[in-house]
Amino acid sequence: MASLDDPGEVREGFLCPLCLKDLQSFYQLQSHYEEEHSGEDHDVKGQIKSLVQKARKAKNRLLKREGDDRAESGTQGYESFSYGGVDPYMWEPQELGAMRSHLSDFKKYRAARIDHYVVEVNKLIIRLEKLTAFDRTNTESAKIRAIEKSSVVPWVNDQDVPFCPDCGNKFGIRSRRHHCRLCGSIMCKKCMELISLPLANKLTSASKDSLSSPNSVHGSRRGSISSVSSVSSVLDEKDDDRIRCCTHCKDTLLKREQQIDEKEHTPDVVRLYEKLRLCMEKVDQKAPEYIKMAASLNAGETTYSLEHASDLRVEVQKVYELIDALSKKILTLDMKQDPPPHPNTLRLQRMIRYSATLFVQVKPLLSTTQEEQFEELKQKRKQEMELKRILERQAALESQRRLEERRSDLAARATNGEVAPTRRGPAPLRKAEGWLPLAEGQRQSEDADPLLQQIRNITSFIRQAKAAGRADEVRTLQENLRQLQDEYDQQQTEKAIALSRRQAEEEGLQREQLQVLREREREREQGQAASLHTRTRSLDFREIRPFQLEPGREPRTHLAHALDLGSSPAQSGTATKTSPASSAPEPFRGWSGPPALGQEFLPQSTVSQRSEAPSLNPFDEEEDLASPSAEGTASPPAPEPSLSLPARVLREYNPFEEEEEEEAVAGNPFAKPDGPAPNPFEEEDEPPPRTPASPPVPGNPFEEAPCTNPFEEESNGQEGAEPIEEELLLQQIDNIKAYIFDAKQCGRLDEVEVLTENLRELRRTLLGSPCRRDVKSSLPRCHRCGSAGPWAEMAPVCACARVHSCLVSISLQC
Amino acid sequence: MNVVFAVKQYISKMIEDSGPGMKVLLMDKETTGIVSMVYTQSEILQKEVYLFERIDSQNREIMKHLKAICFLRPTKENVDYLIQELRRPKYSIYFIYFSNVISKSDVKSLAEADEQEVVAEVQEFYGDYIAVNPHLFSLNILGCCQGRNWDPVQLSRTTQGLTALLLSLKKCPMIRYQLSSEAAKRLAECVKQVITKEYELFEFRRTEVPPLLLILDRCDDAITPLLNQWTYQAMVHELLGINNNRIDLSRVPGISKDLREVVLSAENDEFYANNMYLNFAEIGSNIKNLMEDFQKKKPKEQQKLESIADMKAFVENYPQFKKMSGTVSKHVTVVGELSRLVSERNLLEVSEVEQELACQNDHSSALQNVKRLLQNPRVTEFDAARLVMLYALHYERHSSNSLPGLMMDLRNKGVSEKYRKLVSAVIEYGGKRVRGSDLFSPKDAVAITKQFLKGLKGVENVYTQHQPFLHETLDHLIKGKLKENLYPYLGPSTLRDRPQDIVVFIIGGATYEEALTVYNLNRTTPGVRIVLGGTTVHNTKSFLEEVLASGLHSRSKESSQVTSRSASRR
């Protein structure tokens, strides 16, 4: 930072950072830069291209994490809505409504207005810096005056100003002329203002400070400055310790000071609040994991160890307690202060506390089982598995008559039903509204069979719906459940068949035939309504009827709806061929509506290859709820295919539907990455030495690195995020080191050079060095602080860049 | 086509875009209502929005550690307030969202006020209507017309609301309107004008069948808002009044302090969501089930928490229990009050006669019943007046019309002047002369046979026989049979296929009974999605205010000669 020590080398004006030509105005500078220097980028561009690609991969990896998070939060929002008690049966996923941004217009108007102000401030600050650059206290007054007069700003001629421009008094022997040291204008003594040295220091150093390590210096210095400035009002100080200026300049500077103060000052509540959010994030990470474990343990599985789970539980519990403590602290913050804080502050604190309480309440932790219970559960599970294996073997043997066999399978399972009640009802994470599938954690477990999960979900829906007393909903759900179970059964059988290798191939063929047959059947079914079908259907309905008689319940999903449609022709026998066909697409829409349901279907393709060892068998639980209906469908052999067909079709179509929807949801956060956070990505800042080397390639990872500069973070007021940013930088540096090594190996010396340059740049960025430029507008950035002023978060050009656009100093490069 | 979700998505997007950190939501009077309909406080708190402020409140503290999300209607006052706010920013950064189209000049003056560069976002998010249910929206305008014509202020507000709705659902519709209503035509033209002007905004992905906007006028069916209702939502509105999902229970005798005002929102009240369309009897039994469930879950005092497991279970279940207890006490109170009012005002009997007046054509028995009820001291003057109004509307041109006699009876009963005047005002508002279609006697053969069959079988529920006229209109519309001479298209193009996405808007206000009709149509007609809207959602009381506000009754005498002439010409 030689420039700062040596005021002689600081030049003022719109200087081009490369050729140091003074271009009179902002716009000229910009156009000059674009014309003269943009061409220089090209030759270096090619060289680092490969590097860029490599680095991009790294970046993608890094960013992906963030991206996933956002997408997730998006879907969550959707889910919590679609189960929000308002029948989601008919509302297909809906994209965000139209919107229109006026931001670019707004910025245009604002920039036009503000530019002159910014330039003004910058000029004043440079001059102030020149004025305070030498040791004022130990220099003679005359010498000071000489410096002030000659080197900073040309003073207005005494003869030109006969009256004080502010108060209109005539100058004479009584009232002498005074010059503003900052702008050179003249005023009388009364209208003159003084700037104390501490204030001047504060103003000029604010930009310097932010360039050397931003966090450490501020805290310590702030106190001293304020204390000194309060002293500075003492009257008997001699004028030389202060700088004369006019009211106008003083006002401008005071405004700037206020902005600096605001930027630096973080109230206690913010610090506590940030901690609180960190804790909440931690819980959001850990809790699902734990819930998954707990659910699995409670089911008697041995995938996770009991100790591990309880450790995790304790950990999460601790974070909960911390959240509680922090929020209490926020609540009582400044309570005893005098005067009492503004009611709004209190309200804010209360609200934070309230939301923390809600957070803790909404997510109660499922408790794990005790040691001995766990043993018991394990035993039970073992038995179940045993039983199932036997059944499957039987199934394999009788695979010729698979339908019949399925019935027996089911019947056997149904007897297993009594195991179910011992399992703890898992209803954690029940959001305030509607029914939800059990827990996020369970959904996230990718290895589990999606069908099983679906079944589990539906069971829980049924339970919830029953609790809510919605008869028709329960009915619909049970209908769903039955189909899923059929489907699952079929898969189970298939698996069993696969086990018995002898008949496997035969079976496969058969299945194919069956499939074809089924499809044909379906086609035929519409027109003819074969007697077989009618018979089975009527059977079906008889079975269902008891449920219809149950107390009032509610809406039907589209699926059920469509199923009704599908079966109605058979019932009435009047339907045309077209009507069922046209109704067929219906269910898909309906299914993708509640995404939680749909998602379960997503990994369908994996189902068939699913490994053995199906996790807990949900049937044991479901059977006691749904066994009558399940038996009902299972017993008549023929309806099976026709009934399961809609479900199959569903399965096949759903993934696409789902993808689309996910895109819509996930797309949202990214489609319009506006707001302050993503801003740096659009207007990447680059280290100048490298700028000529690389044009503004969108998504250039190297542009990424500097823009994650801690300074910007600082201006965001997010200290918490800083380590991550640094980490990113460090990683970047490591990468580059590797590339350098690589390049050296290959003997590509020029590349090595560029890379070394890059590396240096990155290091500098890491240390908080500036030298950056706004690439997008080719606007020379502040060469001293290199960072953002108080507006950095939103201004397209960092405020500081604007502040210093007029004072690119000569000896700028570090 | 879910309006609640549409608005909710907008709000979520705003909050999401502002990034992490503590936030304050700056709103105006109307947007406060809009937001409160789709988000509960606890829900929005989870998104780090901790304070809710009105832009016009003076008592706001400077809190630079907060981000401000401004959701405002683009009115002149709001822009002025915002300019003041930006000159002296109280918060660190501003995200500004307008609920409708804002002019360039306003953007410019805002930009020029933003000297401290605190604005990070300026957008239009078209959540400019009150989303009541997924298929029902309102603009909360009472008294939209002066006489037969629009109040210009309300016309522009309605146009804004309706275009915002279309934008938020991403529909660029064809427009049909009710020919008999001048106001409907005017509104249709205004909407069309906006669509033409902002054609860039209305460029959406084309659907196979273009969506349809049908604009109707309340005066075509003045019967529906005059009837007593028996489904939960409609009944609560009729007897207690729902205002932005809030119900004022302060007049209920012996009400406890925290139940003075309760919120009934299907978004987060499962019981309400499940029962809002059920009738009173069903709710009675459901609420009994709810109570029983609650009793079961209620931790008994004797039951001691002996083991750690017990305690764990208790703590886990406690929040749910607490939530449930809130729900239970709320609904028990509401239903209790409803049943108290029903018996106090003798509503079962009144409603039976109302339904007879609305659905059957037996003049002598209707007259007899009305007369009988007018003698009954338990029937309030309000109910008495509405019976006479219904009679007057139905038998307006009946040969043996005995309205004067009934008016006499009203006077003898001591019904106030205000209500008696309203009888003629209602006829002026929705009488035969005004109606474009026949409200009472069915026209086509199908409808006649239907009614005949109904007469044979008897009705299953006397209190809910009435089907709003909207049902028939929509039914015809869905089947592509809605007559073009009564409901013409605006502009040359017409719809060849049956419509799929339909927005119905009723000038002069919709009712919850119509909302139920639309809900049922949505359920039973696959592939068809209907959204109902109105300048407001009426109960009888607010409807009568609407009639009063239109100022028809005061002019009725002098204009009667003119109108009779025009009527005879027709």
Side-chain angles (χ1 to χ4, degrees):
Chain A
M1 309 295 104
S3 63
L4 300 180
D5 305 332
D6 193 351
E9 277 187 62
V10 178
R11 271 170 61 188
E12 188 181 315
F14 291 93
L15 302 189
C16 166
L18 295 178
C19 59
L20 299 173
K21 230 192 260 172
D22 188 345
L23 279 311
Q24 301 316 319
S25 88
F26 176 77
Y27 298 102
Q28 278 170 324
L29 173 63
Q30 196 169 338
S31 56
H32 158 83
Y33 189 84
E34 272 159 17
E35 277 169 30
E36 304 279 322
H37 303 298
S38 54
E40 291 167 24
D41 298 350
H42 296 308
D43 44 344
V44 208
K45 189 165 75 182
Q47 292 167 356
I48 55 163
K49 211 170 183 179
S50 63
L51 178 65
V52 165
Q53 273 162 358
K54 278 184 205 167
R56 189 179 293 159
K57 267 181 216 156
K59 185 199 80 176
N60 284 344
R61 215 176 43 236
L62 276 167
L63 288 182
K64 208 167 154 195
R65 214 183 46 211
E66 194 196 359
D68 287 345
D69 286 352
R70 290 192 80 173
E72 211 169 273
S73 70
T75 41
Q76 219 172 22
Y78 182 77
E79 268 160 39
S80 67
F81 172 78
S82 58
Y83 290 98
V86 250
D87 24 283
Y89 64 94
M90 54 171 286
W91 309 103
E92 85 262 46
Q94 187 173 330
E95 46 184 324
L96 184 61
M99 47 200 186
R100 178 161 65 178
S101 176
H102 287 289
L103 192 60
S104 57
D105 279 348
F106 186 91
K107 277 180 176 168
K108 205 173 72 200
Y109 295 130
R110 180 171 69 185
R113 178 83 169 199
I114 279 184
D115 264 351
H116 81 272
Y117 164 76
V118 173
V119 169
E120 201 69 10
V121 176
N122 284 343
K123 269 187 193 158
L124 293 184
I125 286 177
I126 305 176
R127 289 169 191 167
L128 199 58
E129 203 178 319
K130 285 184 188 170
L131 288 170
T132 52
F134 54 91
D135 186 3
R136 282 181 86 93
T137 41
N138 299 328
T139 323
E140 291 162 45
S141 302
K143 214 171 176 182
I144 295 180
R145 196 181 141 85
I147 295 174
E148 283 178 350
K149 190 168 181 178
S150 62
S151 68
V152 178
V153 61
W155 285 10
V156 175
N157 233 336
D158 279 9
Q159 283 77 35
D160 295 347
V161 188
F163 303 99
C164 170
D166 285 338
C167 61
N169 284 342
K170 196 176 192 320
F171 291 121
I173 308 164
R174 273 277 186 88
S175 69
R176 289 178 48 216
R177 291 174 171 84
H178 293 265
H179 280 98
C180 172
R181 288 346 185 218
L182 293 172
C183 66
S185 67
I186 290 177
M187 67 260 139
C188 70
K189 173 137 186 153
K190 265 189 275 172
C191 302
M192 186 185 71
E193 297 277 346
L194 292 168
I195 295 172
S196 62
L197 281 184
L199 176 59
N201 272 330
K202 184 181 175 186
L203 287 167
T204 51
S205 64
S207 38
K208 285 185 221 161
D209 279 352
S210 55
L211 119 196
S212 52
S213 88
N215 302 319
S216 56
V217 187
H218 280 319
S220 59
R221 194 176 291 182
R222 206 197 319 150
S224 66
I225 285 179
S226 55
S227 62
V228 175
S229 60
S230 64
V231 174
S232 73
S233 61
V234 179
L235 281 170
D236 56 26
E237 241 179 320
K238 60 168 187 168
D239 262 11
D240 291 342
D241 279 353
R242 294 179 280 177
I243 297 160
R244 296 176 182 194
C245 72
C246 61
T247 8
H248 177 74
C249 292
K250 175 106 178 186
D251 277 355
T252 317
L253 289 177
L254 283 181
K255 232 184 199 172
R256 170 100 182 126
E257 190 206 3
Q258 199 192 341
Q259 283 168 356
I260 293 171
D261 279 351
E262 276 164 11
K263 183 181 138 195
E264 285 177 3
H265 179 63
T266 20
D268 289 341
V269 70
V270 175
R271 246 168 282 142
L272 287 173
Y273 179 75
E274 273 161 10
K275 264 189 222 157
L276 184 71
R277 290 306 296 185
L278 273 181
C279 290
M280 286 183 174
E281 271 165 37
K282 214 184 216 166
V283 170
D284 281 340
Q285 272 171 19
K286 300 261 166 148
E289 194 185 336
Y290 169 74
I291 286 164
K292 194 168 92 185
M293 277 188 184
S296 142
L297 283 172
N298 285 342
E301 286 177 346
T302 48
T303 331
Y304 303 100
S305 81
L306 198 58
E307 300 98 83
H308 191 132
S310 56
D311 280 355
L312 194 63
R313 184 185 161 82
V314 170
E315 200 184 325
V316 177
Q317 207 93 51
K318 266 187 188 152
V319 182
Y320 271 134
E321 273 157 31
L322 192 58
I323 289 175
D324 196 48
L326 277 171
S327 63
K328 259 185 203 149
K329 212 165 164 191
I330 289 177
L331 182 69
T332 53
L333 207 66
D334 293 340
M335 278 295 213
K336 288 171 197 124
Q337 223 176 37
D338 197 52
H342 193 281
N344 276 357
T345 314
L346 293 179
R347 202 142 55 91
L348 175 73
Q349 291 170 358
R350 263 204 317 275
M351 286 308 216
I352 294 176
R353 164 74 180 155
Y354 178 50
S355 83
T357 327
L358 280 178
F359 182 83
V360 176
Q361 269 182 6
V362 166
K363 303 177 174 163
L365 281 185
L366 198 69
S367 49
T368 41
T369 41
Q370 300 302 314
E371 196 75 49
E372 61 270 36
Q373 276 176 315
F374 183 56
E375 287 306 314
E376 234 171 81
L377 280 167
K378 268 203 272 192
Q379 283 301 317
K380 252 180 203 158
R381 196 182 144 69
K382 227 180 195 172
Q383 285 169 8
E384 273 168 40
M385 296 298 281
E386 206 65 22
L387 209 68
K388 205 159 69 187
R389 214 163 289 151
I390 293 167
L391 279 171
E392 273 163 11
R393 198 160 298 146
Q394 281 176 355
L397 288 170
E398 295 176 49
S399 61
Q400 292 285 355
R401 300 203 39 79
R402 39 197 296 272
L403 297 171
E404 206 178 351
E405 150 225 304
R406 185 177 307 130
R407 197 191 329 161
S408 73
D409 192 19
L410 253 171
R413 288 235 180 92
T415 58
N416 265 357
E418 71 264 22
V419 188
T422 59
R423 213 187 128 192
R424 286 185 74 118
L429 278 185
R430 243 196 92 183
K431 290 244 163 108
E433 59 284 291
W435 26 83
L436 288 174
L438 305 178
E440 291 167 71
Q442 288 194 342
R443 261 186 287 129
Q444 280 162 358
S445 64
E446 288 155 58
D447 50 344
D449 186 336
L451 261 183
L452 274 180
Q453 282 188 346
Q454 182 60 32
I455 289 173
R456 215 175 299 156
N457 282 346
I458 292 194
T459 329
S460 85
F461 292 162
I462 292 182
R463 215 178 306 133
Q464 289 166 43
K466 265 195 179 156
R470 303 190 215 170
D472 46 346
E473 199 159 315
V474 170
R475 198 176 59 231
T476 341
L477 285 168
Q478 272 164 348
E479 182 95 19
N480 280 349
L481 183 62
R482 204 185 50 208
Q483 280 158 15
L484 280 168
Q485 282 170 339
D486 287 347
E487 191 62 35
Y488 184 74
D489 267 18
Q490 203 168 319
Q491 284 182 4
Q492 288 292 322
T493 332
E494 281 167 18
K495 220 184 304 157
I497 291 155
L499 277 175
S500 59
R501 281 178 205 160
R502 285 169 300 170
Q503 293 167 341
E505 279 174 14
E506 214 178 285
E507 185 61 31
L509 278 171
Q510 250 177 8
R511 249 186 297 137
E512 263 174 41
Q513 281 172 346
L514 261 171
Q515 184 90 25
V516 174
L517 272 173
R518 235 179 274 145
E519 253 148 40
R520 266 189 218 145
E521 243 169 1
R522 187 171 161 73
E523 275 168 26
R524 227 175 292 145
E525 161 194 58
Q526 263 114 49
Q528 298 173 351
S531 61
L532 179 69
H533 285 103
T534 13
R535 186 173 61 82
T536 52
R537 282 265 154 58
S538 65
L539 254 173
D540 270 346
F541 279 94
R542 201 184 50 219
E543 286 301 327
I544 296 163
R545 216 157 286 143
F547 291 96
Q548 286 174 327
L549 292 174
E550 280 181 37
R553 279 159 224 193
E554 197 241 2
R556 328 144 121 215
T557 64
H558 240 100
L559 169 70
H561 194 66
L563 280 169
D564 280 359
L565 278 178
S567 55
S568 62
Q571 261 181 331
S572 58
T574 55
T576 60
K577 233 178 176 169
T578 47
S579 80
S582 65
S583 71
E586 275 317 304
F588 316 139
R589 217 187 285 156
W591 270 97
S592 54
L597 294 181
Q599 267 166 13
E600 305 307 329
F601 279 96
L602 191 55
Q604 266 309 329
S605 51
T606 60
V607 172
S608 45
Q609 305 133 15
R610 192 166 42 101
S611 62
E612 251 287 49
S615 47
L616 147 92
N617 182 355
F619 280 89
D620 304 327
E621 192 185 305
E622 265 107 70
E623 227 58 61
D624 59 330
L625 281 170
S627 52
S629 63
E631 275 175 336
T633 34
S635 44
E640 197 57 54
S642 62
L643 254 179
S644 64
L645 189 61
R648 180 167 289 267
V649 176
L650 258 179
R651 225 156 42 82
E652 282 162 10
Y653 278 81
N654 233 328
F656 302 104
E657 201 57 36
E658 184 54 37
E659 253 166 41
E660 231 175 65
E661 185 214 314
E662 265 195 345
E663 252 170 47
V665 178
N668 254 344
F670 293 105
K672 251 199 112 21
D674 37 16
N679 220 0
F681 297 96
E682 289 174 2
E683 278 128 20
E684 270 118 349
D685 309 316
E686 262 190 296
R690 260 200 52 252
T691 318
S694 83
V697 182
N700 183 340
F702 286 104
E703 292 167 9
E704 216 63 64
C707 82
T708 52
N709 186 326
F711 295 144
E712 302 220 323
E713 274 319 308
E714 188 218 20
S715 64
N716 274 337
Q718 303 173 317
E719 284 165 277
E722 217 174 274
I724 305 163
E725 306 296 341
E726 261 176 53
E727 223 172 85
L728 207 136
L729 276 176
L730 283 172
Q731 202 161 335
Q732 201 71 260
I733 289 177
D734 279 350
N735 284 346
I736 293 190
K737 274 184 189 161
Y739 300 147
I740 292 180
F741 183 75
D742 206 10
K744 268 186 187 159
Q745 292 279 310
C746 304
R748 281 170 292 174
L749 280 179
D750 44 354
E751 210 173 302
V752 173
E753 224 172 270
V754 177
L755 284 168
T756 327
E757 190 69 34
N758 266 326
L759 181 61
R760 221 184 304 149
E761 209 42 59
L762 273 172
R763 276 193 180 137
R764 224 178 292 142
T765 322
L766 187 65
L767 293 174
S769 162
C771 308
R772 305 180 308 150
R773 188 181 305 125
D774 191 311
V775 171
K776 202 169 181 182
S777 59
S778 302
L779 221 199
R781 271 266 185 172
C782 163
H783 281 242
R784 302 177 318 138
C785 79
S787 90
W791 319 287
E793 279 186 285
M794 67 198 82
V797 177
C798 121
C800 185
R802 292 267 226 54
V803 167
H804 293 288
S805 59
C806 56
L807 55 99
V808 177
S809 52
I810 297 176
S811 55
L812 34 89
Q813 306 312 343
C814 319
Chain B
M1 298 268 287
N2 180 338
V3 294
V4 173
F5 188 45
V7 177
K8 194 165 187 168
Q9 262 185 321
Y10 275 138
I11 312 287
S12 311
K13 175 101 173 94
M14 285 176 206
I15 300 172
E16 223 170 82
D17 283 355
S18 62
M22 288 181 271
K23 300 171 191 83
V24 53
L25 196 52
L26 268 181
M27 298 168 287
D28 60 36
K29 188 160 176 279
E30 278 191 71
T31 51
T32 309
I34 292 169
V35 173
S36 74
M37 291 299 278
V38 297
Y39 259 110
T40 58
Q41 196 187 37
S42 52
E43 214 176 338
I44 211 164
L45 274 180
Q46 301 295 310
K47 302 200 166 197
E48 299 187 89
V49 178
Y50 295 111
L51 287 180
F52 311 92
E53 300 276 8
R54 288 275 289 274
I55 185 93
D56 50 350
S57 95
Q58 299 303 319
N59 184 30
R60 277 188 283 119
E61 187 193 5
I62 292 186
M63 294 171 118
K64 288 284 185 182
H65 47 287
L66 291 189
K67 295 175 174 181
I69 301 169
C70 312
F71 183 45
L72 302 168
R73 299 208 64 244
T75 59
K76 179 99 187 52
E77 307 90 75
N78 282 340
V79 171
D80 288 345
Y81 278 125
L82 206 50
I83 286 174
Q84 282 171 30
E85 178 80 24
L86 293 180
R87 289 242 162 84
R88 283 173 213 291
K90 296 195 172 61
Y91 310 105
S92 65
I93 175 169
Y94 286 75
F95 298 84
I96 301 173
Y97 300 92
F98 287 106
S99 65
N100 221 311
V101 176
I102 186 170
S103 70
K104 284 256 191 262
S105 62
D106 281 342
V107 172
K108 191 171 176 208
S109 41
L110 280 175
E112 283 168 354
D114 182 24
E115 279 176 348
Q116 304 202 21
E117 297 190 85
V118 286
V119 176
E121 190 67 81
V122 184
Q123 290 223 58
E124 289 169 7
F125 274 20
Y126 306 96
D128 206 9
Y129 50 87
I130 306 277
V132 183
N133 291 134
H135 61 279
L136 176 66
F137 68 97
S138 154
L139 300 175
N140 282 4
I141 299 173
L142 197 61
C144 56
C145 288
Q146 293 296 324
R148 299 251 157 263
N149 291 313
W150 276 100
D151 174 347
V153 180
Q154 306 301 4
L155 175 62
S156 86
R157 174 68 187 96
T158 309
T159 312
Q160 283 181 337
L162 207 45
T163 47
L165 175 98
L166 295 170
L167 284 168
S168 69
L169 296 177
K170 293 199 166 175
K171 305 284 175 210
C172 180
M174 302 181 96
I175 303 174
R176 294 182 78 167
Y177 60 95
Q178 180 185 319
L179 186 67
S180 61
S181 162
E182 188 56 35
K185 186 173 183 203
R186 189 90 181 78
L187 179 62
E189 282 164 356
C190 283
V191 171
K192 185 87 193 165
Q193 212 176 348
V194 173
I195 293 178
T196 321
K197 196 177 150 214
E198 306 285 347
Y199 63 95
E200 285 167 323
L201 275 175
F202 280 91
E203 258 178 25
F204 305 123
R205 201 160 15 95
R206 301 242 165 233
T207 44
E208 224 172 285
V209 184
L212 187 82
L213 170 64
L214 177 64
I215 298 176
L216 304 174
D217 196 321
R218 181 77 270 164
C219 60
D220 218 24
D221 174 16
I223 292 287
T224 309
L226 284 175
L227 295 173
N228 264 307
Q229 299 297 324
W230 294 99
T231 54
Y232 197 24
Q233 187 186 33
M235 193 177 180
V236 169
H237 188 46
E238 181 64 40
L239 297 180
L240 301 170
I242 302 176
N243 179 23
N244 284 0
N245 281 350
R246 273 160 218 285
I247 295 147
D248 182 13
L249 291 178
S250 58
R251 276 168 302 169
V252 175
I255 190 81
S256 74
K257 207 175 164 194
D258 49 343
L259 284 171
R260 293 240 156 127
E261 190 184 66
V262 296
V263 176
L264 282 189
S265 162
E267 290 289 294
N268 41 44
D269 181 341
E270 211 181 295
F271 181 83
Y272 184 59
N274 293 336
N275 292 285
M276 58 198 285
Y277 299 119
L278 299 185
N279 70 39
F280 194 49
E282 289 167 301
I283 296 160
S285 71
N286 282 355
I287 216 152
K288 199 172 136 259
N289 293 343
L290 185 70
M291 282 291 275
E292 274 164 9
D293 276 3
F294 177 64
Q295 227 102 54
K296 258 182 251 156
K297 278 199 192 162
K298 195 173 166 182
K300 291 166 195 89
E301 281 171 68
Q302 291 85 355
Q303 179 196 342
K304 276 181 191 145
L305 299 176
E306 276 165 350
S307 67
I308 293 182
D310 281 353
M311 278 157 77
K312 264 187 194 164
F314 177 78
V315 171
E316 272 166 23
N317 294 325
Y318 187 70
Q320 284 164 21
F321 165 73
K322 227 182 146 189
K323 186 170 168 352
M324 193 169 174
S325 87
T327 316
V328 169
S329 60
K330 179 170 77 182
H331 287 289
V332 168
T333 314
V334 171
V335 173
E337 174 64 9
L338 290 181
S339 76
R340 188 185 70 86
L341 287 173
V342 166
S343 62
E344 186 186 277
R345 287 167 57 181
N346 213 11
L347 285 181
L348 282 170
E349 216 176 320
V350 172
S351 177
E352 196 178 337
V353 178
E354 280 173 13
Q355 296 283 334
E356 187 190 347
L357 280 168
C359 309
Q360 282 153 32
N361 280 321
D362 188 350
H363 175 255
S364 58
S365 118
L367 183 64
Q368 207 180 344
N369 280 326
V370 173
K371 278 196 165 156
R372 179 172 52 84
L373 279 179
L374 288 186
Q375 303 307 322
N376 188 336
R378 278 171 69 203
V379 173
T380 60
E381 60 169 5
F382 184 69
D383 291 322
R386 92 159 104 197
L387 282 170
V388 177
M389 285 171 202
L390 284 169
Y391 173 84
L393 278 173
H394 194 162
Y395 299 109
E396 191 184 351
R397 302 273 164 93
H398 197 269
S399 49
S400 50
N401 181 322
S402 58
L403 185 59
L406 286 175
M407 291 302 281
M408 212 52 176
D409 286 350
L410 276 186
R411 184 186 299 225
N412 293 340
K413 192 179 160 60
V415 172
S416 66
E417 175 82 15
K418 179 185 146 204
Y419 285 119
R420 276 180 287 136
K421 268 193 173 166
L422 269 170
V423 174
S424 62
V426 165
I427 295 173
E428 189 69 20
Y429 182 90
K432 192 144 194 158
R433 188 177 49 75
V434 194
R435 290 198 295 267
S437 35
D438 206 338
L439 192 52
F440 294 103
S441 48
K443 295 157 291 281
D444 53 350
V446 183
I448 290 170
T449 22
K450 234 187 229 164
Q451 195 166 43
F452 176 69
L453 281 173
K454 218 176 175 185
L456 276 183
K457 270 193 287 185
V459 273
E460 57 277 21
N461 189 341
V462 260
Y463 304 110
T464 54
Q465 309 169 48
H466 178 253
Q467 277 277 22
F469 184 63
L470 181 71
H471 182 266
E472 194 188 311
T473 313
L474 285 176
D475 197 45
H476 285 172
L477 182 66
I478 291 166
K479 289 177 180 147
K481 290 196 298 192
L482 193 63
K483 293 202 177 92
E484 265 186 58
N485 56 358
L486 291 178
Y487 300 92
Y489 285 91
L490 190 73
S493 50
T494 56
L495 205 59
R496 238 172 281 147
D497 310 276
R498 295 177 173 190
Q500 288 177 345
D501 294 346
I502 302 168
V503 177
V504 195
F505 188 80
I506 304 181
I507 298 166
T511 65
Y512 281 117
E513 192 188 350
E514 281 154 344
L516 171 64
T517 301
V518 169
Y519 171 83
N520 284 330
L521 275 173
N522 276 333
R523 268 170 64 116
T524 51
T525 337
V528 173
R529 284 159 301 186
I530 309 170
V531 170
L532 173 70
T535 44
T536 185
V537 181
H538 277 313
N539 55 17
T540 306
K541 201 161 151 251
S542 68
F543 173 65
L544 292 181
E545 274 164 40
E546 176 98 30
V547 170
L548 208 58
S550 71
L552 281 168
H553 67 293
S554 56
R555 306 181 326 178
S556 59
K557 289 222 171 87
E558 64 218 61
S559 63
S560 58
Q561 294 170 333
V562 188
T563 46
S564 63
R565 214 183 305 142
S566 69
S568 60
R569 209 179 296 147
R570 228 184 264 169

